[in-house]
Amino acid sequence: MQGLMMDTPLLVSSLLTHADYNHADTDIVSRRVEGDIHRYTYGEAAARARQMANALTAAGLKPGERAATLAWNGYRHFELYYAISGIGSVMHTINPRLHPEQVAWIVNHAEDRILFFDATFAPIVDAIADKCPTVQHWVAMSDPDKMPELKNVSATSYEDFMAGQPTEYEWPVLDENTAACLCYTSGTTGNPKGILYSHRSLVLHTYGACLPDAFGVTAMDVVLPVVPMFHVNAWSLPYVGALGGVKLVFPGPKLDGESLYELFESEGVTISAGVPTVWQLVLQHLQKNKLQLSTLKRMTVGGSACPPALMETFEKEFGVRLEHAWGMTEMSPLGTYNHLKAKHQKLSEDEQFQVRIKQGRAVFGVEMKIVDENGKRQPQDGKSTGDLHVRGPWIIKQYFKKDESPLIDGWFPTGDVGHIDPDGYLTITDRTKDVIKSGGEWIGSIDLENIAMSHPAVATAACIAAKHEKWDERPLLLVQLKEGQSATKEDLLKHYEGKIAKWWTPDDILFVDGLPLGATGKVQKNKLRDEYGEHLLGKS
Amino acid sequence: MQGLMMDTPLLVSSLLTHADYNHADTDIVSRRVEGDIHRYTYGEAAARARQMANALTAAGLKPGERAATLAWNGYRHFELYYAISGIGSVMHTINPRLHPEQVAWIVNHAEDRILFFDATFAPIVDAIADKCPTVQHWVAMSDPDKMPELKNVSATSYEDFMAGQPTEYEWPVLDENTAACLCYTSGTTGNPKGILYSHRSLVLHTYGACLPDAFGVTAMDVVLPVVPMFHVNAWSLPYVGALGGVKLVFPGPKLDGESLYELFESEGVTISAGVPTVWQLVLQHLQKNKLQLSTLKRMTVGGSACPPALMETFEKEFGVRLEHAWGMTEMSPLGTYNHLKAKHQKLSEDEQFQVRIKQGRAVFGVEMKIVDENGKRQPQDGKSTGDLHVRGPWIIKQYFKKDESPLIDGWFPTGDVGHIDPDGYLTITDRTKDVIKSGGEWIGSIDLENIAMSHPAVATAACIAAKHEKWDERPLLLVQLKEGQSATKEDLLKHYEGKIAKWWTPDDILFVDGLPLGATGKVQKNKLRDEYGEHLLGKS
């Protein structure tokens, strides 16, 4: 027997409509590529998104067809998020940090019809224009009088593209399983793979992301997403903002510590979100200039594990709480978020901190399990370590244009290794491919890196599995020291004493000038393995 | 083109599974009908719900069939919420405050197969047993040695009913549109009407109810739902608790001020929810015994408008914030919730209070509009008053076993009258049927009642439309004074001066010993109109 409630589909457009009706005069502030600060409201954003919907339709973009962006976080990007998905087409965000060859490959794979780009990325457009035959319109997200110079293609300005279109538009009532957004992962090997989100998955994910034990935003908040809108929809914050009626502050191209600090203070930002590297930059700026943060309360840290030392400094010196979240592009991205429970209130600050450095608890909607090499579910005891598998309504079942299923028994294997404690807190100890298998036992590289980074002289560190005659693999640590600081191999090895089991201690430590980073800012360990993977051979 | 995310259905059972995995040792505390305090965990509740699922299946309850409850808020009721819906059958909560004739009518209309009842309600069971041929099992929610005496039927104890069943059970993966719960409204006229919630509507509603700008619960909270589980699923708090991992405290049959106060303090309750009458009882107990509340922070007030005086007293004298919510059985029930926005921080406390006495803003998922007599949408200006229509995925499209649609152009007419301001805040001024039409202009009875109740001598008040020779209808106020207090008609009329337009002032005031209340505690204005509706005729 079926229930008798309304068959209202979950649609991305309803988020903006909700903001338009309930938060019409709440601000959206953007630092523009043009250099100035732009300020308008959800009411105006909704009107311009409707105008853009008419413009896209007039330009011939059809339901199901893809329109792409190469853009920073800003109000025009925000409008496109809603306009493109809203008319039933697919919003395709491209990571501009990829090599132009890869961008072209992605545009062709997605068969993008329109490509919107910030002036900053004109060189990419010039480089790919003649390799992308599916693109019918190139639109620069610029004022008409601030158009970038292009050699190989003629582009329209965003404002001209939608000029003359009415701001009235009735968002279509789509099937909620209609594709809404497309985002490619830049894997370390092979071609990028496309993840095709549906209206349903995005709206459900937004409900989950807004929960008090996740981002927990209210109409009192001012949120600055540092995480880029080309990176898994900025962790859904452009949707979260509309649902919660929060003031959004978009930082545009300026992601240095000084520029972010300036916006935090001038706009009264209460919550921000980004990868640890960004918070490191902000911290350096604060410390160098002896500044304080007057309104910021919480920062969500994701993308990679946050060095505990960074969390501690922000909390003790600046009164800002860093909160761990964990997810993947294949998960929209939110899997877990770290908030304490009532039972933790009895613990000492230090004991609470030991809970808070875990990746967090599953957001309702996500189920997790740890399995061993045979796929057998492991106990949830905070110790049994294995592969992490997930499932839920905002988790991928298939990659775009790929026939084979990535699932195992209906679960998505994340490629992460970790354990889950009886309170549901996940700890990621490694990537499946980065785990160090020493004499049949697993060593987690992340723990070893965190300890290294807690040494005052260390800027960053990476631990890889190096081949070993006797133990098959042993940990090798690569360290980049802070400018002007020094430490010896012996200093660092001593720093491990008492912090881990002795046999986990790295066999050797090499000092390097920098670590190779991928397009999303993560250390490319495969490159390190290629270079240093045989370093220990013939030494023991 | 369809998205490529998992087709995971939204199911009620997933809420309990989530709590079982993430909050297994969080407490659920119940004051039992047996008299004592019962304490166990979500882990144990989940195991017993699975055991009950096996017992229901063994008793022959089939998918789609209804099993009913006549019960207080308690752990066994909580287990049934999940067990009955979880196996694909329909959880039917019956309001035990209805006349036994009506209860029998409802049981027959629903064709209930099993009826679970608290010992308190044994007299109802005795009265209806031979009138309810569909019921195959009568189960007393009692310990085997505390069974109530029954004359007309033989009942099993809840514990015996599920004894010997395994606690292992795999919840079926149902179509998310499957019916999960049934609840009848007790309209003032005609037979009760059944609202049939689906798994999808309940889970979406739970996401909405948990949002920071709605109940906003976290795993730090302790929630005591005073609102009964037979009244629109206790405003969804048994589901909200599981999603949020909150400690739940069920008050059982003792809903007096003293008993509630005792639980608030002994269990460290942080959030509670119920109708204004309950808070009035709590307030009286606090004031009479000069007590303070040490952990309670917020109380949700719904069911009817909260007298502003009550809100003010709780806040100023006890530091507890009363928050308005508004909804209906047909809306699962949540429509709006009142939280302030960032812009209101600049206002004075008094100005903020003027916002806070409104019914609140739409929870994302609910759309609202005000229409005039011709169905034309009215501006959202905080003034234009008319009928309130709503739509969304947790709003009814049809009543159970009724062919005709209650909708108008796809919207559900709430029967409430009000206006919505530019910030989205709804103000209910009246029920459509209670509105006073004086010379073609509308007068809102709720405003007139609130002003009367802000007079220190007034316990409660009701304003009705009395027939009038010249103006068709004029307001007539019925007042019940507080014990030991006195006030004259002239005192009260003077109290209106400067607070409303002069022509809104009631034409007459009558003092009564009490007001007729319906089964959900609301004043039955139709009875008052029958008795006093012609009071003003021949007087002007």
Side-chain angles (χ1 to χ4, degrees), chain A residues 1 3-4 6-8 21-22 25 176-177 179 196 200 207 213 219 341-343 364 380 395 397 423, chain B residues 1 3-4 6-8 21-22 25 176-177 179 196 200 207 212-213 219 341-343 364 380 395 397 423:
Chain A
M1 189 168 62
L4 292 170
M6 288 187 188
D7 306 302
T8 313
Y21 286 166
N22 295 285
D25 71 357
E176 69 183 24
N177 292 308
L196 195 62
R200 171 182 165 100
Y207 270 122
D213 269 348
K341 299 182 177 187
K343 68 189 283 186
F364 174 68
Q380 197 182 317
I395 294 167
K397 68 177 174 190
D423 290 324
Chain B
M1 188 169 62
L4 292 170
M6 287 187 188
D7 306 302
T8 313
Y21 286 167
N22 296 284
D25 70 357
E176 68 182 25
N177 291 307
L196 195 61
R200 171 183 165 97
Y207 270 122
D213 269 348
K341 299 183 179 186
K343 67 189 283 187
F364 174 68
Q380 198 182 317
I395 294 166
K397 68 177 174 190
D423 290 324

Side-chain angles (χ1 to χ4, degrees), chain B residues 143-162:
Chain B
D143 290 345
D145 61 346
K146 295 266 174 67
M147 287 289 284
E149 274 185 47
L150 289 158
K151 294 186 207 94
N152 303 328
V153 71
S154 91
T156 318
S157 109
Y158 185 96
E159 301 302 325
D160 287 341
F161 184 78
M162 69 180 196

Side-chain angles (χ1 to χ4, degrees), chain B residues 38-218:
Chain B
H38 176 273
R39 191 179 297 276
Y40 73 168
T41 63
Y42 277 102
E44 291 168 273
R48 276 172 58 93
R50 293 192 299 268
Q51 190 176 359
M52 178 51 82
N54 283 315
L56 293 167
T57 308
L61 187 68
K62 294 195 178 53
E65 288 187 342
R66 277 74 68 197
T69 59
L70 275 168
W72 300 111
N73 293 5
Y75 66 103
R76 289 180 177 125
H77 208 172
F78 180 84
E79 293 161 9
L80 291 172
Y81 260 56
Y82 287 98
I84 297 171
S85 299
I87 67 170
S89 302
V90 179
M91 169 72 177
H92 172 206
T93 52
I94 305 176
N95 186 343
R97 292 186 186 133
L98 295 172
H99 190 276
E101 287 285 332
Q102 273 183 301
V103 174
W105 186 93
I106 288 174
V107 169
N108 285 318
H109 189 265
E111 301 169 75
D112 294 319
R113 293 284 171 210
I114 310 180
L115 199 145
F116 293 90
F117 61 98
D118 268 331
T120 322
F121 306 120
I124 303 178
V125 169
D126 259 338
I128 67 170
D130 64 357
K131 293 176 192 141
C132 299
T134 62
V135 178
Q136 294 158 341
H137 301 276
W138 301 84
V139 184
M141 295 159 73
S142 308
D143 290 345
D145 61 346
K146 295 266 174 67
M147 287 289 284
E149 274 185 47
L150 289 158
K151 294 186 207 94
N152 303 328
V153 71
S154 91
T156 318
S157 109
Y158 185 96
E159 301 302 325
D160 287 341
F161 184 78
M162 69 180 196
Q165 294 292 339
T167 57
E168 288 82 44
Y169 180 84
E170 190 89 26
W171 298 110
V173 179
L174 308 164
D175 173 343
E176 68 182 25
N177 291 307
T178 303
C181 289
L182 177 63
C183 189
Y184 284 77
T185 53
S186 43
T188 41
T189 53
N191 281 321
K193 287 180 281 189
I195 291 106
L196 195 61
Y197 309 107
S198 67
H199 284 263
R200 171 183 165 97
S201 74
L202 290 170
V203 171
L204 288 175
H205 180 270
T206 305
Y207 270 122
C210 282
L211 288 172
D213 269 348
F215 286 115
V217 298
T218 74

Side-chain angles (χ1 to χ4, degrees), chain B residues 386-406:
Chain B
D387 289 316
L388 173 63
H389 291 192
V390 293
R391 67 177 180 188
W394 58 73
I395 294 166
I396 191 176
K397 68 177 174 190
Q398 207 154 10
Y399 290 100
F400 185 47
K401 292 186 180 176
K402 292 243 181 196
D403 285 336
E404 66 274 26
S405 167

